[in-house]
Amino acid sequence: MELLYDILKAIHILMAVLWLGTDIGTFASFRRMRDATLSVSTRLSMSHLSDLLDMGPRSALVILLMLGLYMTHLGEFGLSGPTGSLLAQVSALIGLLWLAGVWHQYWVTHPPAGQTRSPAHVRFQRAFRTFDIYWRVGVSLALALLAVASLAGAGPFRSAWLAWKLILFAGIVACGVGIRIVIPRIVACMSDIAANGSSPEREARLTQVARPAQMFVWSIWLLLILISWLAVAKPE
Amino acid sequence: MFDSFVLLKTAHILLLATWLGVDIGVLACGWLIGRHQSSVETRAQFARLMVWLGLWPALSLVLTVLVALALVFVGRLGFVGWPADTTAQWMQWLAALTFLWLIATVTAFALNVRDAGVAWLRTCQRGFIWFDTLLRCAVVIGFAWLALRAWQDETLLFLDYLRWKSLIFAGVVACGLWARFALREFLPTLSIIAQQGSTEELEKRLTRQMRAATVPMLISWAGLVANIFIAVIQF
C-alpha cells in the first residue's frame, strides 16, 4: 500500500511539472498568435501549437484531482473508511470519463486539414462544453466548501495543509472556468482577423478579450507555486 | 515552514517544471519547423519560439545544480566528511559561478535574438557555446564522480537513492549535450532554406537532425522522470 502511495505521489509531482511547464509553452505560443506583425497563417499555426500544448494543463488538472483524492484516502489524510474508499474510487472513474471528454474535445476541434468530424461528435462536444463549464464550477465550489468545513473541524480532510491545498486548487479550477468562458471570444476575434484581415480595431478587440485570459493564467501559475510549497512544507 | 530546506525543495520541484515541461514545447516546435508545407515565416517563428522556450531548460539546468547541492548541504544529506566552513565556502563559490553562468546564458540569448549577422556578436555566441559546453561537461563529470565516489565514501552522500539521482542527473545533462550536438546544423539549415528556398535534400537534412536530437531528448526526459520516482520512493 505504501509503494502504491509513493508511485501515485511521483505521478502527482510529474503532473504538476507537466502542467506548469507546458503552460509556459502554451502562453508563449498564445502571445505569438496575438502578434499583429505576423501573417494570419503563422498566427493560426501558433494557435494550433498553443492548443496542442494546452492539453498538458487540461489533462494534468483532471489527473491531479483524481490522484489527490485517492492519495488522501491511501495516506489517511481524510476520506477514511469504506465510504472514503468508495468515494475515492468513484472520483477516479469520473475523472477518467472527464479526461476522455477533454481529449475528445481536442480531437473534434482539431481535425486534419480539409477534414471535419461527424455531426454526432460535434453535437456531443457542444453539449460537453456546456456541461464541462458547469461541472468545473460545481467541482470548484465543492472542493472549497469541503476544505473550509475541514478547517472548521467538520469536513472530510484531517490535515490543515491539505485543506488549504484544496482551497487553492478550487481557485485554479475557477480560473480554468474563466479561461473557458474567454476562449470562444478569442477564437471569434481570430476568425474575424483570418476572414477579413488584420486592422487596428480587430487587433485591439483581440488584445482586449485576451487580457482576462492572461490574468487567469498568471493566477494559475501563482496558485500552483503556492500549492507546491504547501505540499513540501505541510504546515499544520 | 519557511526554512531553507523547504524553500530549496520547492524550488527543486518547480525547476523540474521549467525544464521537463517546457522541453515538450521545444520538441514540438522542432518538429513543426520540419513541416515543409508551412511558410518560411511560420517556420522562422517556430524557430524563434523554440530558442525562447529552450532558454527555460537551460536556466533550469544551471539552477538545479546549485539547488540540488545546496539541498544536500542544508539537509545534511552528505558532504559531512569535510569541515562545515570549507563546504559553506565551496557553496558560495558555486553560487557565484551559477550567477555568472545564468548571466552568460541570458546575455547569449539576448544577443542571439538581436542579430546573428554581426561579426562580433557571432564571436560572443561562439565563445558562450564553448563556455556553456565546458561547464555542462564539468557537471556531467562532477555528478557522475560524486555518485560513484559516494558508493565508496558514504560521507559524500549518505543515501543510496541520492547517489542514483546524481548518476542519472549526469546522464540527463550528457543527453542534453548529445541533443545540442545533433542540432548544431539545424537552425543554419533552416536559414539556408529561408534564403535559397526549400529543396528535398535540405528538408531531409532538417528532418534527419531533428530525429537525431529527439532520441537524447526522450532519454533525458526518462531520466528526469526516473529521478522523480527515485526521490519519492527513496529505495
Side-chain angles (χ1 to χ4, degrees):
Chain A
M1 216 51 143
E2 205 178 313
L3 180 66
L4 175 64
Y5 178 82
D6 282 345
I7 289 170
L8 293 181
K9 190 176 167 186
I11 300 172
H12 195 65
I13 293 171
L14 185 61
M15 285 301 124
V17 162
L18 285 181
W19 183 338
L20 194 56
T22 49
D23 220 9
I24 292 170
T26 307
F27 190 66
S29 43
F30 177 73
R31 280 182 78 100
R32 276 189 164 64
M33 182 206 81
R34 283 176 44 213
D35 188 343
T37 61
L38 301 177
S39 70
V40 170
S41 70
T42 299
R43 293 169 75 178
L44 289 175
S45 297
M46 287 295 163
S47 168
H48 285 148
L49 174 64
S50 174
D51 291 348
L52 175 69
L53 293 176
D54 195 32
M55 289 313 290
R58 282 184 187 213
S59 309
L61 182 138
V62 181
I63 297 169
L64 274 174
L65 189 57
M66 268 195 295
L67 288 174
L69 290 175
Y70 208 79
M71 282 166 63
T72 302
H73 169 68
L74 279 180
E76 296 174 353
F77 297 115
L79 302 174
S80 49
T83 320
S85 168
L86 186 70
L87 199 70
Q89 284 169 28
V90 169
S91 66
L93 190 69
I94 293 171
L96 285 175
L97 290 172
W98 188 9
L99 192 61
V102 167
W103 273 96
H104 182 258
Q105 194 167 42
Y106 179 79
W107 179 78
V108 169
T109 51
H110 295 82
Q115 288 181 31
T116 50
R117 302 296 182 202
S118 75
H121 283 295
V122 176
R123 260 199 314 277
F124 173 80
Q125 264 317 312
R126 233 174 262 149
F128 178 78
R129 194 189 167 275
T130 312
F131 164 79
D132 187 49
I133 289 176
Y134 285 112
W135 169 250
R136 281 168 198 263
V137 172
V139 166
S140 175
L141 284 174
L143 286 177
L145 285 173
L146 287 174
V148 170
S150 298
L151 284 174
F157 307 109
R158 287 198 199 101
S159 312
W161 62 267
L162 181 59
W164 279 109
K165 258 186 91 172
L166 286 171
I167 289 172
L168 297 179
F169 197 84
I172 289 179
V173 179
C175 286
V177 172
I179 291 174
R180 253 148 211 83
I181 291 170
V182 171
I183 281 175
R185 293 180 206 161
I186 296 172
V187 171
C189 284
M190 257 325 279
S191 302
D192 187 24
I193 290 170
N196 305 309
S198 173
S199 74
E201 295 77 33
R202 290 191 190 107
E203 297 299 340
R205 206 178 312 137
L206 177 63
T207 306
Q208 196 186 352
V209 296
R211 202 167 290 143
Q214 279 188 348
M215 294 302 290
F216 287 130
V217 170
W218 287 333
S219 305
I220 288 174
W221 291 358
L222 181 66
L223 290 168
L224 271 175
I225 290 168
L226 283 173
I227 285 179
S228 304
W229 170 75
L230 268 177
V232 175
K234 293 189 174 61
E236 281 304 329
Chain B
M1 208 161 108
F2 289 105
D3 67 65
S4 46
F5 189 78
V6 167
L7 293 175
L8 283 167
K9 202 171 167 185
T10 308
H12 196 50
I13 293 169
L14 292 174
L15 284 171
L16 262 174
T18 52
W19 185 336
L20 176 62
V22 180
D23 229 9
I24 293 171
V26 175
L27 188 69
C29 283
W31 280 107
L32 287 168
I33 290 169
R35 284 179 60 175
H36 63 272
Q37 302 94 330
S38 303
S39 69
V40 169
E41 185 211 46
T42 304
R43 297 168 86 179
Q45 283 304 318
F46 278 129
R48 288 187 68 171
L49 187 60
M50 186 187 183
V51 171
W52 189 83
L53 289 176
L55 182 67
W56 290 76
L59 296 177
S60 304
L61 183 155
V62 178
L63 283 168
T64 299
V65 172
L66 178 67
V67 168
L69 294 177
L71 264 171
V72 171
F73 176 61
V74 172
R76 297 181 187 282
L77 302 167
F79 307 141
V80 292
W82 307 328
D85 287 353
T86 314
T87 317
Q89 219 162 33
W90 273 103
M91 290 308 298
Q92 283 167 8
W93 278 109
L94 183 68
L97 181 64
T98 303
F99 183 69
L100 264 178
W101 197 358
L102 286 175
I103 296 281
T105 308
V106 174
T107 309
F109 168 75
L111 293 177
N112 193 21
V113 168
R114 263 183 71 186
D115 192 355
V118 182
W120 71 268
L121 284 182
R122 275 189 184 166
T123 313
C124 284
Q125 281 161 11
R126 261 201 299 272
F128 168 74
I129 288 169
W130 274 106
F131 168 74
D132 188 61
T133 307
L134 274 175
L135 285 178
R136 281 175 191 232
C137 289
V139 169
V140 173
I141 295 165
F143 273 78
W145 175 85
L146 183 64
L148 297 173
R149 187 88 187 99
W151 267 299
Q152 294 163 343
D153 176 7
E154 285 195 342
T155 60
L156 271 176
L157 287 174
F158 281 131
L159 303 162
D160 210 26
Y161 83 91
L162 283 178
R163 295 169 203 154
W164 280 108
K165 273 191 78 176
S166 180
L167 194 61
I168 290 172
F169 183 73
V172 166
V173 180
C175 282
L177 284 167
W178 175 10
R180 174 180 283 190
F181 183 74
L183 282 177
R184 69 196 182 286
E185 291 300 323
F186 187 71
L187 293 180
T189 307
L190 185 67
S191 270
I192 296 170
I193 292 174
Q195 285 160 14
Q196 300 169 10
S198 170
T199 65
E200 205 181 321
E201 169 51 30
L202 286 170
E203 296 297 344
K204 270 186 186 163
R205 202 191 300 170
L206 214 55
T207 310
R208 208 167 39 236
Q209 284 162 5
M210 198 55 220
R211 204 171 287 153
T214 302
V215 175
M217 278 180 93
L218 292 179
I219 297 173
S220 74
W221 294 359
L224 288 171
V225 171
N227 263 353
I228 295 177
F229 275 85
I230 289 170
V232 173
I233 296 170
Q234 299 188 355
F235 59 83

